[in-house]
Amino acid sequence: MVNKNPNGEFSEVDTLLVSSGRDPHSNFGFVNPPVYHGSTVLFPTAEKLIARDQTYLYGRRGTPTSDALEQALTRLHGGFASKVVSSGLGAITTALLSFVEGGDHILVSDSVYRPTRMFCNGMLGKFGVETTYYDPLIGAGIEALVRPNTKLIFTECPGSQTMEMQDIPAIVGVARKHGCLVAMDNTWPTPLFFDAFGHGIDIAVQAGTKYVVGHSDVMIGSVTVTEELWPKLHEGFDLIGQCAGPDDIYLALRGLRTMGVRLERHMKSGIEIAQWLDDRPEVDLVLHPALPSAPGHDIWKRDFTGASGLFSVVLKPVSQANLYAFLNSLELFGMGYSWGGYESLVVPFKPGAYRSATTWTHEGPALRFHIGLESVEDLKRDLEAGFEQMAAAR
Ligand SMILES: *Cc1c(COP(=O)(O)O)cnc(C)c1O
């Protein structure tokens, strides 16, 4: 067994991050587990081959390397078991395909990661699974949308880009009453800042690409489930054929060791920059649930134990030329998708363009920031210079 402490003798999260998914003394004392590259796995006898009587059967189906990461992620989430796949989106699609079938209805938050929406509309729809999008702030009101064939409620908290905080306990309460499963994309809080299974979630999805890996160099995802759901997830994983490469799994395991200290810093710097932006005359609204002035702060305080480095702001209305002058002048904030790496990022977004259950009424441009591990003072200077350029542009 790779995991030294399956009976929970260590339970503090910082210890789990360091100790889970590795066993140096079964590995000649080397601190990190070896990386198994492999498709073929040999069987010693015809009898064992025909009976498939062996721990590992074929590379796609799992290796000691994927087991190590899956065990570590399971320990951190407090679920029963996990499967690691080749991207965060792959984790979402594997989870959905494993648990829904033609004729089912699912409820998906309007604030969900946009490619999740595109998968529901473009792929699940083809197979007769109907999706209804709901207002992320609906809470217990979701009961009015539940139908006899509603199989699953998909949540994401906070919402992608717009950062709405969902009332997960209220939604779980409705789901329990009607026998629906609740899935959550908990990439933003990670298992460190939101205890998905403790809050009644059945299926927790993580884009490991973000904070688990933490260095903007790997795509990976995971699905963690309860004991009851494990056989179906395992079957779905085997049928779909999604697997992550061994070197990527290794880098995710390595990222995990420092995720706690990185997140602590992302949280501290993120809150500091968000507060600083809140005081700027150019900023209309800061959407960061850890700020007492921000929407959803009460839910964040009740249910979460920390915040990552990703948040959004709405600027006061400015022209596109002014906005682009701001963005183009930034030197420390890169512009690009994804987040969770060590570097700071910014992207403009327009949720009104594709949401269907809610309306985005803010007039000014919206920006999503990821606060990396740089000096907060340097980041403030960079933003300040950007605002100067914004004001100077015509
Ligand atoms: C990035 C992201 C994903 C998808 O992860 P990939 O590894 O990029 O496929 C899923 N959910 C959320 C909330 C994300 O931010």
Short mmCIF file of all heavy atoms in Angstrom, two decimals, residues 86-90 92 113 115-116 156 158 160 185-188 205-210 218-221 310 338-339 368, ligand 1:
data_model
loop_
_atom_site.label_atom_id
_atom_site.label_comp_id
_atom_site.label_asym_id
_atom_site.label_seq_id
_atom_site.Cartn_x
_atom_site.Cartn_y
_atom_site.Cartn_z
N SER A 86 -7.57 13.00 -17.27
CA SER A 86 -6.58 13.82 -17.97
C SER A 86 -6.82 15.33 -17.92
O SER A 86 -6.01 16.09 -18.42
CB SER A 86 -6.48 13.36 -19.42
OG SER A 86 -7.76 13.47 -20.01
N SER A 87 -7.93 15.78 -17.37
CA SER A 87 -8.15 17.23 -17.21
C SER A 87 -9.29 17.44 -16.23
O SER A 87 -10.04 16.50 -15.91
CB SER A 87 -8.50 17.90 -18.55
OG SER A 87 -9.79 17.54 -18.96
N GLY A 88 -9.45 18.68 -15.80
CA GLY A 88 -10.58 19.00 -14.93
C GLY A 88 -11.90 18.81 -15.66
O GLY A 88 -12.86 18.27 -15.10
N LEU A 89 -11.94 19.23 -16.92
CA LEU A 89 -13.17 19.03 -17.69
C LEU A 89 -13.44 17.54 -17.87
O LEU A 89 -14.59 17.10 -17.79
CB LEU A 89 -13.08 19.74 -19.05
CG LEU A 89 -14.34 19.63 -19.91
CD1 LEU A 89 -15.56 20.22 -19.23
CD2 LEU A 89 -14.12 20.29 -21.27
N GLY A 90 -12.38 16.77 -18.08
CA GLY A 90 -12.53 15.31 -18.18
C GLY A 90 -13.12 14.72 -16.90
O GLY A 90 -13.89 13.75 -16.94
N ILE A 92 -15.21 16.30 -14.89
CA ILE A 92 -16.63 16.69 -14.89
C ILE A 92 -17.43 15.78 -15.83
O ILE A 92 -18.49 15.27 -15.47
CB ILE A 92 -16.77 18.17 -15.30
CG1 ILE A 92 -16.19 19.06 -14.20
CG2 ILE A 92 -18.22 18.54 -15.61
CD1 ILE A 92 -15.87 20.47 -14.64
N TYR A 113 -18.75 26.59 -14.50
CA TYR A 113 -17.63 26.70 -15.45
C TYR A 113 -18.19 26.52 -16.87
O TYR A 113 -18.87 25.54 -17.15
CB TYR A 113 -16.62 25.61 -15.10
CG TYR A 113 -15.40 25.49 -15.96
CD1 TYR A 113 -14.48 26.55 -16.06
CD2 TYR A 113 -15.13 24.31 -16.64
CE1 TYR A 113 -13.35 26.41 -16.84
CE2 TYR A 113 -13.99 24.18 -17.42
CZ TYR A 113 -13.11 25.24 -17.52
OH TYR A 113 -11.98 25.10 -18.29
N PRO A 115 -17.31 25.54 -19.92
CA PRO A 115 -17.25 24.26 -20.65
C PRO A 115 -18.14 23.16 -20.06
O PRO A 115 -18.56 22.26 -20.78
CB PRO A 115 -15.76 23.89 -20.58
CG PRO A 115 -15.07 25.22 -20.49
CD PRO A 115 -15.96 26.04 -19.60
N THR A 116 -18.47 23.23 -18.77
CA THR A 116 -19.42 22.28 -18.20
C THR A 116 -20.79 22.48 -18.85
O THR A 116 -21.47 21.53 -19.25
CB THR A 116 -19.54 22.47 -16.67
OG1 THR A 116 -18.24 22.38 -16.09
CG2 THR A 116 -20.46 21.45 -16.03
N GLU A 156 -21.32 24.55 -8.09
CA GLU A 156 -19.93 25.02 -8.12
C GLU A 156 -19.89 26.24 -7.22
O GLU A 156 -20.72 27.14 -7.34
CB GLU A 156 -19.54 25.40 -9.55
CG GLU A 156 -18.10 25.84 -9.67
CD GLU A 156 -17.71 26.19 -11.11
OE1 GLU A 156 -18.24 25.58 -12.05
OE2 GLU A 156 -16.91 27.12 -11.28
N PRO A 158 -17.24 29.05 -5.07
CA PRO A 158 -18.08 30.08 -5.68
C PRO A 158 -18.20 29.87 -7.19
O PRO A 158 -17.46 29.08 -7.76
CB PRO A 158 -17.33 31.37 -5.36
CG PRO A 158 -15.94 30.97 -5.07
CD PRO A 158 -15.95 29.56 -4.62
N SER A 160 -18.06 30.26 -11.24
CA SER A 160 -16.99 30.66 -12.16
C SER A 160 -17.17 32.12 -12.55
O SER A 160 -18.27 32.55 -12.87
CB SER A 160 -17.03 29.80 -13.43
OG SER A 160 -16.15 28.71 -13.33
N ASP A 185 -18.24 21.01 -8.22
CA ASP A 185 -16.93 21.38 -8.73
C ASP A 185 -16.30 22.23 -7.63
O ASP A 185 -16.69 23.38 -7.43
CB ASP A 185 -17.10 22.16 -10.04
CG ASP A 185 -15.76 22.56 -10.66
OD1 ASP A 185 -14.77 22.67 -9.92
OD2 ASP A 185 -15.73 22.78 -11.89
N ASN A 186 -15.38 21.64 -6.87
CA ASN A 186 -14.80 22.40 -5.75
C ASN A 186 -13.34 22.77 -6.01
O ASN A 186 -12.49 22.75 -5.12
CB ASN A 186 -14.99 21.68 -4.40
CG ASN A 186 -14.07 20.49 -4.23
OD1 ASN A 186 -13.61 19.94 -5.23
ND2 ASN A 186 -13.78 20.10 -3.01
N THR A 187 -13.09 23.15 -7.26
CA THR A 187 -11.74 23.54 -7.66
C THR A 187 -11.26 24.78 -6.90
O THR A 187 -10.11 24.87 -6.50
CB THR A 187 -11.71 23.79 -9.17
OG1 THR A 187 -12.11 22.59 -9.84
CG2 THR A 187 -10.33 24.19 -9.65
N TRP A 188 -12.16 25.74 -6.70
CA TRP A 188 -11.74 27.01 -6.05
C TRP A 188 -11.31 26.81 -4.59
O TRP A 188 -10.21 27.19 -4.22
CB TRP A 188 -12.87 28.06 -6.16
CG TRP A 188 -12.50 29.42 -5.67
CD1 TRP A 188 -11.92 30.43 -6.39
CD2 TRP A 188 -12.69 29.95 -4.34
NE1 TRP A 188 -11.74 31.55 -5.60
CE2 TRP A 188 -12.19 31.29 -4.34
CE3 TRP A 188 -13.22 29.44 -3.15
CZ2 TRP A 188 -12.23 32.10 -3.21
CZ3 TRP A 188 -13.24 30.25 -2.02
CH2 TRP A 188 -12.75 31.57 -2.07
N VAL A 205 -15.62 17.10 -7.66
CA VAL A 205 -14.75 17.17 -8.83
C VAL A 205 -13.71 18.25 -8.58
O VAL A 205 -14.01 19.31 -8.02
CB VAL A 205 -15.59 17.53 -10.07
CG1 VAL A 205 -14.69 17.80 -11.26
CG2 VAL A 205 -16.58 16.43 -10.38
N GLN A 206 -12.49 17.97 -9.01
CA GLN A 206 -11.40 18.92 -8.79
C GLN A 206 -10.62 19.07 -10.09
O GLN A 206 -10.20 18.06 -10.67
CB GLN A 206 -10.51 18.32 -7.68
CG GLN A 206 -9.33 19.12 -7.24
CD GLN A 206 -9.70 20.21 -6.26
OE1 GLN A 206 -10.68 20.11 -5.55
NE2 GLN A 206 -8.92 21.25 -6.23
N ALA A 207 -10.44 20.30 -10.57
CA ALA A 207 -9.50 20.53 -11.67
C ALA A 207 -8.12 20.64 -11.02
O ALA A 207 -7.72 21.71 -10.56
CB ALA A 207 -9.86 21.79 -12.45
N GLY A 208 -7.41 19.54 -10.98
CA GLY A 208 -6.07 19.51 -10.38
C GLY A 208 -5.09 20.40 -11.11
O GLY A 208 -4.07 20.81 -10.55
N THR A 209 -5.43 20.71 -12.35
CA THR A 209 -4.68 21.66 -13.18
C THR A 209 -4.39 22.95 -12.41
O THR A 209 -3.37 23.60 -12.64
CB THR A 209 -5.54 21.99 -14.42
OG1 THR A 209 -5.90 20.78 -15.06
CG2 THR A 209 -4.81 22.90 -15.39
N LYS A 210 -5.29 23.32 -11.51
CA LYS A 210 -5.19 24.61 -10.83
C LYS A 210 -4.26 24.49 -9.62
O LYS A 210 -3.07 24.46 -9.77
CB LYS A 210 -6.60 25.09 -10.45
CG LYS A 210 -7.60 25.03 -11.62
CD LYS A 210 -7.30 26.05 -12.70
CE LYS A 210 -8.01 25.81 -14.03
NZ LYS A 210 -9.45 25.71 -14.00
N VAL A 218 0.64 21.42 -16.11
CA VAL A 218 0.03 20.10 -16.27
C VAL A 218 -1.49 20.23 -16.30
O VAL A 218 -2.05 21.04 -15.58
CB VAL A 218 0.41 19.17 -15.08
CG1 VAL A 218 -0.43 17.91 -15.05
CG2 VAL A 218 1.90 18.81 -15.13
N MET A 219 -2.15 19.40 -17.11
CA MET A 219 -3.61 19.28 -17.08
C MET A 219 -3.95 17.97 -16.37
O MET A 219 -3.43 16.90 -16.74
CB MET A 219 -4.20 19.19 -18.50
CG MET A 219 -3.73 20.22 -19.51
SD MET A 219 -4.36 21.88 -19.24
CE MET A 219 -6.10 21.63 -19.12
N ILE A 220 -4.82 18.05 -15.38
CA ILE A 220 -5.24 16.82 -14.67
C ILE A 220 -6.54 17.10 -13.90
O ILE A 220 -6.83 18.27 -13.58
CB ILE A 220 -4.11 16.33 -13.71
CG1 ILE A 220 -4.23 14.83 -13.45
CG2 ILE A 220 -4.06 17.13 -12.42
CD1 ILE A 220 -2.95 14.20 -12.93
N GLY A 221 -7.31 16.07 -13.65
CA GLY A 221 -8.55 16.26 -12.91
C GLY A 221 -8.85 15.03 -12.07
O GLY A 221 -8.27 13.97 -12.29
N LEU A 310 -8.28 33.55 -6.26
CA LEU A 310 -9.04 33.91 -7.46
C LEU A 310 -10.28 34.71 -7.07
O LEU A 310 -11.07 34.26 -6.24
CB LEU A 310 -9.48 32.64 -8.19
CG LEU A 310 -10.09 32.84 -9.57
CD1 LEU A 310 -9.00 33.05 -10.62
CD2 LEU A 310 -10.95 31.64 -9.96
N SER A 338 -7.06 29.64 -17.39
CA SER A 338 -6.61 28.82 -16.27
C SER A 338 -6.11 29.71 -15.14
O SER A 338 -6.12 30.95 -15.26
CB SER A 338 -5.55 27.80 -16.67
OG SER A 338 -5.57 26.71 -15.75
N TRP A 339 -5.72 29.11 -14.04
CA TRP A 339 -5.30 29.82 -12.83
C TRP A 339 -4.78 28.78 -11.85
O TRP A 339 -4.76 27.59 -12.16
CB TRP A 339 -6.45 30.64 -12.23
CG TRP A 339 -7.77 29.93 -12.14
CD1 TRP A 339 -8.70 29.79 -13.13
CD2 TRP A 339 -8.32 29.24 -10.99
NE1 TRP A 339 -9.78 29.07 -12.68
CE2 TRP A 339 -9.57 28.71 -11.38
CE3 TRP A 339 -7.87 29.03 -9.69
CZ2 TRP A 339 -10.39 27.99 -10.51
CZ3 TRP A 339 -8.69 28.31 -8.82
CH2 TRP A 339 -9.93 27.80 -9.23
N ARG A 368 -11.43 39.13 -13.98
CA ARG A 368 -11.11 38.10 -13.01
C ARG A 368 -9.60 38.11 -12.76
O ARG A 368 -8.81 38.05 -13.70
CB ARG A 368 -11.53 36.72 -13.53
CG ARG A 368 -11.36 35.65 -12.46
CD ARG A 368 -11.64 34.27 -13.01
NE ARG A 368 -10.57 33.84 -13.90
CZ ARG A 368 -10.56 32.67 -14.55
NH1 ARG A 368 -11.57 31.84 -14.42
NH2 ARG A 368 -9.55 32.34 -15.32
C1 LIG B 1 -10.26 25.14 -15.06
C2 LIG B 1 -11.49 24.65 -14.47
C3 LIG B 1 -12.02 23.41 -14.85
C4 LIG B 1 -11.41 22.59 -15.94
O1 LIG B 1 -10.13 22.14 -15.69
P1 LIG B 1 -9.15 21.78 -16.91
O2 LIG B 1 -8.10 20.99 -16.28
O3 LIG B 1 -8.73 23.09 -17.49
O4 LIG B 1 -9.97 20.98 -17.90
C5 LIG B 1 -13.14 22.97 -14.21
N1 LIG B 1 -13.75 23.70 -13.27
C6 LIG B 1 -13.29 24.89 -12.88
C7 LIG B 1 -13.99 25.64 -11.82
C8 LIG B 1 -12.15 25.41 -13.48
O5 LIG B 1 -11.72 26.62 -13.12
#
